[in-house]
Amino acid sequence: MTIAYLNGDYLPLEQASISPMDRGFLFGDGIYEVIPSYGGRFVGFDRHFDRLTAGLSSISLKSPFSAVALKNLLEELINANATLDTSGGLGLYLQVTRGTSPKRNHQFPNSITPTVFAFTFDIPPPIAGNVDKAHTFSVVTGRDLRWQRCNIKSVSLLGNVLHMMEGVAEGAEEILLFNERDELTEASTSNVFIVRDGSIRTPNLDHQKLGGITRNMLVDMLRKHSTLSVIEGTVSRADVSSADEVWLTSSTKEISPVVQIDGELVGAGRPGPVWSEAQTLFDRYRFDY
Ligand SMILES: Cc1ncc(COP(=O)(O)O)c(C=O)c1O
């Protein structure tokens, strides 16, 4: 049985309920985070907290907790779920919405109490750059039709959901998205990296992409601990089509190799050597960044 946290209480997930007048439900008016943990240790906690705080501030919602208070809340949630099989890790989903108001008005109500909800879910164990254990992805491509504020980790994810379903309809597990200039933005639930001639590239961050914590940690690790060059800049469709390797990154996937795009193999159609180096680096330093 999964134990959830809702507005100060720890309770079985099935018993957690909110009002249908919650603005998270009515408008998608809220911010969320997904924080991975292994053996009770968080990955990138400070970065997740900073992104959450920045996201809340960008929608004029005061953060309901300090970093210490949030860490305590999540540690208690991990402990409450300690009876679960945690041979892998635990993902921590956290959502803060503006709260419940008696009327449905687009305009923010003056003073309402935010709703805070969290629950845990299983994530796979780290694979330590082992090619045989990698979860590889076949993806398709599409035009990015989401809104112009994808840097905000908003719970309004219908655009991402519809893009994911576009991929699923074509038998893919993820979809790479390109903007109106045919430049790579990200994927529906991940950031994207490519490798060409030994050099690593990832789209620079702006309003069309979420600043992924895994992406940012990986860029920092590669720059500090490897001799590989990492460029943050424009990645065109031609760059993607001619890449030797393509990776997806997210808190639950870490660094996952893409082996097929729109039916064409990427490189040799299996995880490449630069991916193996990058994931090995991530395994070594995931708790230090
Ligand atoms: C649209 C999108 N981009 C990128 C990411 C990766 O972010 P992170 O590494 O913080 O999980 C996610 C993760 O959910 C996402 O939904």
Side-chain angles (χ1 to χ4, degrees), residues 175-195:
I175 178 165
L176 307 186
L177 300 171
F178 293 84
N179 67 16
E180 59 291 346
R181 291 185 299 281
D182 233 8
E183 297 160 354
L184 178 64
T185 56
E186 56 180 350
S188 72
T189 63
S190 342
N191 293 112
V192 186
F193 286 70
I194 68 162
V195 181

Side-chain angles (χ1 to χ4, degrees), residues 140-188:
V140 291
T141 60
R143 172 74 65 230
D144 194 340
L145 296 175
R146 301 170 302 160
W147 69 332
Q148 295 300 306
R149 303 187 74 180
C150 295
N151 53 314
I152 301 175
K153 201 165 170 68
S154 157
V155 295
S156 319
L157 285 173
L158 189 57
N160 301 57
V161 167
L162 293 179
H163 277 314
M164 173 60 91
M165 292 315 294
E166 232 180 294
V168 169
E170 293 184 57
E173 277 186 282
E174 200 20 315
I175 178 165
L176 307 186
L177 300 171
F178 293 84
N179 67 16
E180 59 291 346
R181 291 185 299 281
D182 233 8
E183 297 160 354
L184 178 64
T185 56
E186 56 180 350
S188 72

Side-chain angles (χ1 to χ4, degrees), residues 32 34 48 51 146 153 160 186-191 210-215 249-252:
Y32 77 105
V34 175
H48 282 282
R51 181 173 65 184
R146 301 170 302 160
K153 201 165 170 68
N160 301 57
E186 56 180 350
S188 72
T189 63
S190 342
N191 293 112
L210 180 72
I213 304 301
T214 320
R215 171 203 184 277
T249 63
S250 77
S251 293
T252 50

Side-chain angles (χ1 to χ4, degrees), residues 99-258:
T100 300
S101 129
K103 293 211 172 87
R104 182 188 174 276
N105 280 335
H106 283 59
Q107 193 183 329
F108 298 159
N110 277 336
S111 60
I112 55 171
T113 310
T115 300
V116 180
F117 170 60
F119 69 95
T120 63
F121 60 98
D122 291 348
I123 53 178
I127 57 157
N130 184 337
V131 174
D132 299 327
K133 291 194 183 155
H135 179 135
T136 58
F137 281 74
S138 292
V139 306
V140 291
T141 60
R143 172 74 65 230
D144 194 340
L145 296 175
R146 301 170 302 160
W147 69 332
Q148 295 300 306
R149 303 187 74 180
C150 295
N151 53 314
I152 301 175
K153 201 165 170 68
S154 157
V155 295
S156 319
L157 285 173
L158 189 57
N160 301 57
V161 167
L162 293 179
H163 277 314
M164 173 60 91
M165 292 315 294
E166 232 180 294
V168 169
E170 293 184 57
E173 277 186 282
E174 200 20 315
I175 178 165
L176 307 186
L177 300 171
F178 293 84
N179 67 16
E180 59 291 346
R181 291 185 299 281
D182 233 8
E183 297 160 354
L184 178 64
T185 56
E186 56 180 350
S188 72
T189 63
S190 342
N191 293 112
V192 186
F193 286 70
I194 68 162
V195 181
R196 244 177 86 189
D197 303 326
S199 128
I200 303 169
R201 300 177 70 92
T202 189
N204 51 305
L205 294 179
D206 60 18
H207 62 287
Q208 294 185 318
K209 303 122 194 169
L210 180 72
I213 304 301
T214 320
R215 171 203 184 277
N216 295 347
M217 284 172 63
L218 179 61
V219 167
D220 290 351
M221 284 178 201
L222 287 163
R223 290 197 172 136
K224 183 136 189 230
H225 307 290
S226 86
T227 53
L228 294 160
S229 95
V230 188
I231 299 160
E232 294 173 89
T234 303
V235 177
S236 68
R237 192 179 269 274
D239 292 331
V240 174
S241 312
S242 59
D244 303 317
E245 299 183 25
V246 176
W247 316 329
L248 302 173
T249 63
S250 77
S251 293
T252 50
K253 303 180 187 76
E254 294 209 325
I255 310 162
S256 291
V258 174

Side-chain angles (χ1 to χ4, degrees), residues 51-106:
R51 181 173 65 184
L52 174 69
T53 309
L56 289 170
S57 159
S58 73
I59 64 162
S60 307
L61 188 43
K62 196 170 165 295
S63 177
F65 25 56
S66 63
V68 172
L70 178 60
K71 202 176 238 180
N72 288 341
L73 184 165
L74 295 177
E75 276 169 356
E76 216 163 306
L77 191 61
I78 292 175
N79 291 338
N81 284 289
T83 51
L84 297 177
D85 170 19
T86 49
S87 49
L90 271 188
L92 299 152
Y93 178 89
L94 172 77
Q95 168 165 336
V96 181
T97 74
R98 202 170 304 276
T100 300
S101 129
K103 293 211 172 87
R104 182 188 174 276
N105 280 335
H106 283 59

